[in-house]
Amino acid sequence: MSTYTATTKTMTAWRQHRYGGADAVAAETVPVPVPRAGEVLVRVDAVSINSGDIHLMQGEPRLVRLFLGLRRPRVAGRGMDLAGTVVALGADVTGLRVGDRVVGAHQDTLAEFVAVPQKRLSAIPAEVSTTDAAALPIAGNTALTVLDRYGVGKDSRVLVVGAGGGVGTLTVQLAAALGAEVWATCGARAEETLRRLGAARTFDYRTTDLADLPADHFDVVVDIAGLQPLTLLRGLLRRGGKVALVGGDGGRVLGPVGRILRSLFVGRPGRRFVPITAVTKTPVTERLLAEAASGRLTPVIERTFAFEDASAALAHVEAGRTVGKVLVRGAHAG
Ligand SMILES: NC(=O)c1ccc[n+]([C@@H]2O[C@H](COP(=O)([O-])OP(=O)(O)OC[C@H]3O[C@@H](n4cnc5c(N)ncnc54)[C@H](OP(=O)(O)O)[C@@H]3O)[C@@H](O)[C@H]2O)c1
């Protein structure tokens, strides 16, 4: 199937019927969804893989199974971010036309086609490539949520811990564009990239002890890696500063919740820990697209996998060694 017509009835989608590693996710032939009122059918041209896809795939931390399905994932399709082309409109859709390029976050996006509520989609500006757009929704919304919440701006001192991945590379760029002085810890492979993106100083987490960074110095510590002792992060904050808990390796059962609970007991007067739960919102995605269109934001795309290799893309992100974002090209993308 190379293009969509009204007679296109089946498609390939990457699905799983048990929790597990990337080998639990397989290509299946399924019906092409029919867009309901308020939805559009999108031909998927690019999908970026997020850590969230991996948590859903593994059903970990186990706590999430209470909400996502105790024995197996209730939603079988993987993939959350998407960028693509509108191929059909449901009833009551206004403002979008067949052929428009759109981006957003939904579910079941590792598929040839996906029906998405119009309110979850944003038009991609002409200056932004479909692949760059695909890299933005979830990771970019997370980054901007943190920077907005703490009013990061000119002269803010920001430390991004775990800056080399999808969320981190966007956080560093956006914070630097806002005029902040950004320091970053990352793997050695990411240091040059992060300096190019605007980090004033970078540190290889394997050879640098955070305790050697200046104490009482930062307005915001963005903790993405979620592995460093909380007391160490607290000591880096100046009075009034905050640690934004974005990621957290708290074990297979509680995950970041364990770290968040521990953070309640290690605050220090005037220095707080704040858990971040970013929700992807179209106005925020549109700000990210505007930044990309102006050239101030360029997503780092480490690697793009073919649609047939989506399971390998999931395995690659699962390994946790990416610099920037990992994408899967749509089955029909040129
Ligand atoms: N709270 C929310 O709303 C929200 C939203 C999105 C994501 N998240 C969370 O954010 C976290 C990060 O996700 P991501 O997709 O950006 O990236 P990721 O895949 O977790 O990051 C990989 C990168 O992190 C580096 N790294 C690993 N351990 C490190 C450490 N101790 N210090 C510094 N860098 C380290 C790796 O370098 P090497 O390869 O050299 O090891 C690699 O470049 C995940 O835990 C995810 O669940 C939270």
Side-chain angles (χ1 to χ4, degrees), residues 215-294:
D216 301 328
H217 184 77
F218 295 96
D219 299 292
V220 181
V221 173
V222 186
D223 181 26
I224 299 171
L227 292 162
Q228 299 284 351
L230 294 167
T231 46
L232 203 53
L233 300 181
R234 183 190 66 187
L236 300 171
L237 291 178
R238 68 159 184 75
R239 194 170 180 84
K242 314 266 187 313
V243 176
L245 298 170
V246 175
D249 181 12
R252 294 182 66 180
V253 177
L254 288 179
V257 175
R259 190 167 169 87
I260 290 166
L261 291 174
R262 283 200 307 283
S263 77
L264 298 175
F265 301 99
V266 291
R268 183 178 154 204
R271 295 156 175 89
R272 287 204 299 128
F273 291 87
V274 185
I276 299 296
T277 310
V279 177
T280 303
K281 296 181 178 156
T282 48
V284 178
T285 303
E286 281 153 20
R287 280 171 58 200
L288 294 161
L289 289 165
E291 289 294 303
S294 72

Side-chain angles (χ1 to χ4, degrees), residues 51 55 142 162 164-168 185-187 189 205-206 224-225 227 246-248 276-278 320-323:
S51 303
H55 295 308
T142 306
V167 177
T185 75
C186 56
R189 286 176 310 136
Y205 76 90
R206 290 186 177 84
I224 299 171
L227 292 162
V246 175
I276 299 296
T277 310
R321 301 269 84 92
T322 60
V323 174

Side-chain angles (χ1 to χ4, degrees), residues 6-323:
T7 58
T8 306
K9 297 292 182 222
T10 61
M11 64 171 190
T12 303
W14 286 88
R15 300 211 160 164
Q16 63 179 125
H17 302 286
R18 63 176 172 89
Y19 290 117
D23 59 347
V25 185
E28 289 181 12
T29 301
V30 298
V32 173
V34 176
R36 292 179 295 195
E39 291 184 342
V40 299
L41 187 67
V42 180
R43 183 192 75 197
V44 178
D45 295 328
V47 172
S48 81
I49 307 294
N50 291 283
S51 303
D53 292 301
I54 307 306
H55 295 308
L56 294 180
M57 179 178 87
Q58 298 172 331
E60 288 184 6
R62 298 252 166 162
L63 189 67
V64 300
R65 297 191 189 193
L66 291 175
F67 310 99
L68 303 174
L70 280 181
R71 291 167 176 276
R72 61 185 67 84
R74 220 173 276 136
V75 176
R78 288 286 65 80
M80 300 192 288
D81 279 339
L82 84 144
T85 309
V86 175
V87 292
L89 307 176
D92 305 330
V93 171
T94 54
L96 279 179
R97 289 177 307 182
V98 169
D100 284 351
R101 291 189 310 136
V102 289
V103 61
H106 191 46
Q107 60 185 26
D108 213 353
T109 62
L110 276 173
E112 290 180 70
F113 302 99
V114 59
V116 187
Q118 178 184 10
K119 63 180 185 217
R120 288 179 172 255
L121 293 171
S122 305
I124 303 174
E127 301 85 351
V128 181
S129 71
T130 302
T131 44
D132 277 359
L136 295 176
I138 291 176
N141 268 262
T142 306
L144 261 190
T145 299
V146 173
L147 301 178
D148 282 351
R149 190 166 301 173
Y150 301 116
V152 168
K154 196 165 156 31
D155 302 329
S156 303
R157 290 175 179 169
V158 178
L159 174 67
V160 183
V161 178
V167 177
T169 46
L170 290 168
T171 305
V172 167
Q173 281 189 76
L174 289 163
L178 287 165
E181 180 182 314
V182 187
W183 294 21
T185 75
C186 56
R189 286 176 310 136
E191 284 193 81
E192 198 184 317
T193 302
L194 289 166
R195 283 197 296 269
R196 179 172 52 75
L197 297 178
R201 299 188 64 180
T202 59
F203 305 90
D204 175 359
Y205 76 90
R206 290 186 177 84
T207 55
T208 306
D209 188 343
L210 280 189
D212 294 336
L213 299 189
D216 301 328
H217 184 77
F218 295 96
D219 299 292
V220 181
V221 173
V222 186
D223 181 26
I224 299 171
L227 292 162
Q228 299 284 351
L230 294 167
T231 46
L232 203 53
L233 300 181
R234 183 190 66 187
L236 300 171
L237 291 178
R238 68 159 184 75
R239 194 170 180 84
K242 314 266 187 313
V243 176
L245 298 170
V246 175
D249 181 12
R252 294 182 66 180
V253 177
L254 288 179
V257 175
R259 190 167 169 87
I260 290 166
L261 291 174
R262 283 200 307 283
S263 77
L264 298 175
F265 301 99
V266 291
R268 183 178 154 204
R271 295 156 175 89
R272 287 204 299 128
F273 291 87
V274 185
I276 299 296
T277 310
V279 177
T280 303
K281 296 181 178 156
T282 48
V284 178
T285 303
E286 281 153 20
R287 280 171 58 200
L288 294 161
L289 289 165
E291 289 294 303
S294 72
R296 282 190 297 269
L297 182 68
T298 308
V300 176
I301 296 172
E302 180 195 88
R303 191 165 162 190
T304 302
F305 288 77
F307 182 70
E308 298 73 39
D309 298 326
S311 169
L314 288 164
H316 185 65
V317 175
E318 186 179 18
R321 301 269 84 92
T322 60
V323 174

